[in-house]
Amino acid sequence: MSGIIVLTGGGSAGHVTPNLALVDDLKQHDYEIHYIGTEDGIERTIVRDLPYHSIEAGKLRRYLSKENIKDFFKIFRGYRQAKKILKDLNPRLVFAKGGFVSVPVVWAAAKLGIPTVLHESDYSPGLANRLCARKARKICLSFDVPNQYGSKSVVTGSPVRSSLLSGNKEKGLQFLGFKSGKPVLLIMGGSLGAKAINDAVDGCIDSLTSSYCVVHLRGKGNLNESLSTHENYRQFEFLEKELADVFSATDLALSRAGANAVFEYLTLCIPPLLIPLPLSASRGDQLQNAAYFKEHGYAHVLQQEELTSEALPAAVGALFKDKDKIIKSMKASGALDGTANVLKVIYESVR
């Protein structure tokens, strides 16, 4: 064996799935992979077939709250737990994807002299990565942002699951049962869905299905049975094993602007209409991601404040009209092979 590499990250699917995109290649290089996360976080349900170690981790808040006092002690206990786990495993490297669980792990690794590589998905760094940056050997960036983290930073792009690159268009269309030949519009609101997007789509479903075959990933518990009779409409809470084939059959996407999603669209050359989370519901990272993609000609953007059932069909129509130009920009971008580039940094950083 070449030794052990520890992956960590959690709190949202976006802090977990890029980690999993690295596993196959790491194993092919004879590394044993372990994962450190929380017991009740989303990472516990997503990570399969890897040795999993649980620690406590307090939530990182940007505002004053008495809960911060309680969570400080959780972070401290998590640090002690992570330190014991890392001592026992003696890994050659820790790779941290962000989220509050990564902070005690990275701090413990630094105390033990274990090199750490971070990855920042968004245009601007999250709080967890800002707290970990001084402890890291290298910091991988999805976006080419000047002067972020100084000499430690390497622009790599974002790791994309290899399974998404091997989809079959015919299998996707067969799975969906679409036979009209209309372009396929994939609507995704994130792992939990997006009520604003779902409501707007529901209000203009007749207009959308008159021009497109619509695949709608609505999120857990958000199916709308009243729409099941539409010939050109298919709805799911989410897709897993069929997603690669559905992506291959997709002509356009309507989506939030999470970093993982936008880089998947870029890698697969699927023109998206991005509806970023507004500042009222986020720290503004999706607004920055969407603005970057629009500026580079990789996407159209519709702000949530402008999202209505009346405005949506016209916005999708404008995207369809511009799709060839967007695909040309995507191909000309030389879209970074994020998985290979991140792996290169990891292999150069192991002790």
Side-chain angles (χ1 to χ4, degrees):
M1 298 293 289
S2 295
I4 292 173
I5 288 179
V6 167
L7 307 177
T8 188
S12 72
H15 290 139
V16 184
T17 52
N19 274 336
L20 301 183
L22 307 172
V23 170
D24 286 346
D25 196 275
L26 292 172
K27 286 185 174 181
Q28 288 174 14
H29 282 75
D30 292 328
Y31 285 101
E32 181 182 340
I33 312 303
H34 289 245
Y35 205 101
I36 297 180
T38 59
E39 184 59 37
D40 56 355
I42 192 172
E43 62 272 19
R44 189 69 179 93
T45 63
I46 295 175
V47 176
R48 307 184 184 101
D49 304 321
L50 292 177
Y52 189 93
H53 309 269
S54 298
I55 65 169
E56 291 187 60
K59 182 177 180 181
L60 302 169
R61 299 176 180 84
R62 298 172 181 82
Y63 52 88
L64 293 176
S65 169
K66 62 182 180 182
E67 295 299 317
N68 288 336
I69 300 174
K70 296 179 182 178
D71 284 355
F72 170 80
F73 291 102
K74 286 185 180 180
I75 294 171
F76 181 70
R77 287 195 297 270
Y79 167 80
R80 294 179 62 182
Q81 293 163 348
K83 190 175 178 182
K84 181 179 186 307
I85 292 166
L86 293 175
K87 270 187 175 180
D88 292 341
L89 293 176
N90 191 29
R92 297 186 62 184
L93 180 132
V94 168
F95 181 79
K97 190 60 197 68
F100 52 84
V101 70
S102 65
V103 176
V105 180
V106 171
W107 288 357
K111 184 67 174 179
L112 296 171
I114 300 167
T116 297
V117 173
L118 306 184
H119 184 273
E120 178 55 62
S121 290
D122 292 304
Y123 185 88
S124 62
L127 179 58
N129 275 348
R130 294 206 306 271
L131 291 171
C132 293
R134 291 182 61 186
K135 310 289 187 182
R137 177 170 293 184
K138 288 290 181 181
I139 304 169
C140 301
L141 305 178
S142 289
F143 293 86
D144 188 359
V145 183
N147 303 318
Q148 194 173 101
Y149 297 120
S151 61
K152 286 185 177 183
S153 63
V154 183
V155 180
T156 60
S158 184
V160 173
R161 293 165 286 174
S162 59
S163 60
L164 294 183
L165 307 178
S166 58
N168 182 284
K169 180 176 181 177
E170 295 305 317
K171 287 183 178 179
L173 292 173
Q174 184 178 8
F175 166 73
L176 296 168
F178 289 145
K179 300 176 182 178
S180 70
K182 294 177 180 178
V184 175
L185 170 65
L186 173 64
I187 301 172
M188 300 176 66
S191 57
L192 298 178
K195 187 177 187 303
I197 292 177
N198 290 351
D199 289 349
V201 169
D202 291 353
C204 62
I205 193 64
D206 291 333
S207 177
L208 289 176
T209 54
S210 68
S211 300
Y212 310 97
C213 292
V214 177
V215 187
H216 192 173
L217 308 188
R218 301 184 64 101
K220 187 175 181 180
N222 293 328
L223 296 180
N224 185 343
E225 296 302 331
S226 69
L227 302 180
S228 59
T229 58
H230 280 270
E231 180 181 358
N232 291 328
Y233 179 80
R234 303 288 183 270
Q235 60 178 321
F236 307 91
E237 290 188 331
F238 56 89
L239 291 174
E240 191 168 331
K241 64 180 182 179
E242 305 91 355
L243 185 59
D245 293 334
V246 170
F247 266 139
S248 186
T250 294
D251 296 289
L252 305 170
L254 168 63
S255 172
R256 287 301 194 191
N260 288 344
V262 296
F263 276 95
E264 287 171 355
Y265 301 140
L266 181 59
T267 301
L268 297 168
C269 289
I270 298 173
L273 173 62
L274 300 176
I275 304 175
L277 279 170
L279 276 174
S280 59
S282 72
R283 63 181 176 85
D285 49 304
Q286 289 200 14
L287 292 166
Q288 293 174 315
N289 296 347
Y292 181 97
F293 265 61
K294 180 181 179 180
E295 179 185 350
H296 286 74
Y298 307 149
H300 282 197
V301 176
L302 180 66
Q303 301 299 339
Q304 182 161 308
E305 294 80 6
E306 302 167 343
L307 174 62
T308 65
S309 296
E310 293 73 30
L312 187 55
V316 175
L319 176 70
F320 182 73
K321 184 178 180 180
D322 216 15
K323 69 180 181 65
D324 292 337
K325 181 181 176 182
I326 294 173
I327 291 172
K328 184 178 180 180
S329 296
M330 288 174 150
K331 290 181 176 178
S333 73
L336 294 169
D337 186 346
T339 305
N341 289 336
V342 170
L343 287 164
K344 183 174 184 289
V345 174
I346 288 174
Y347 295 138
E348 291 174 347
S349 302
V350 291
R351 62 176 181 176

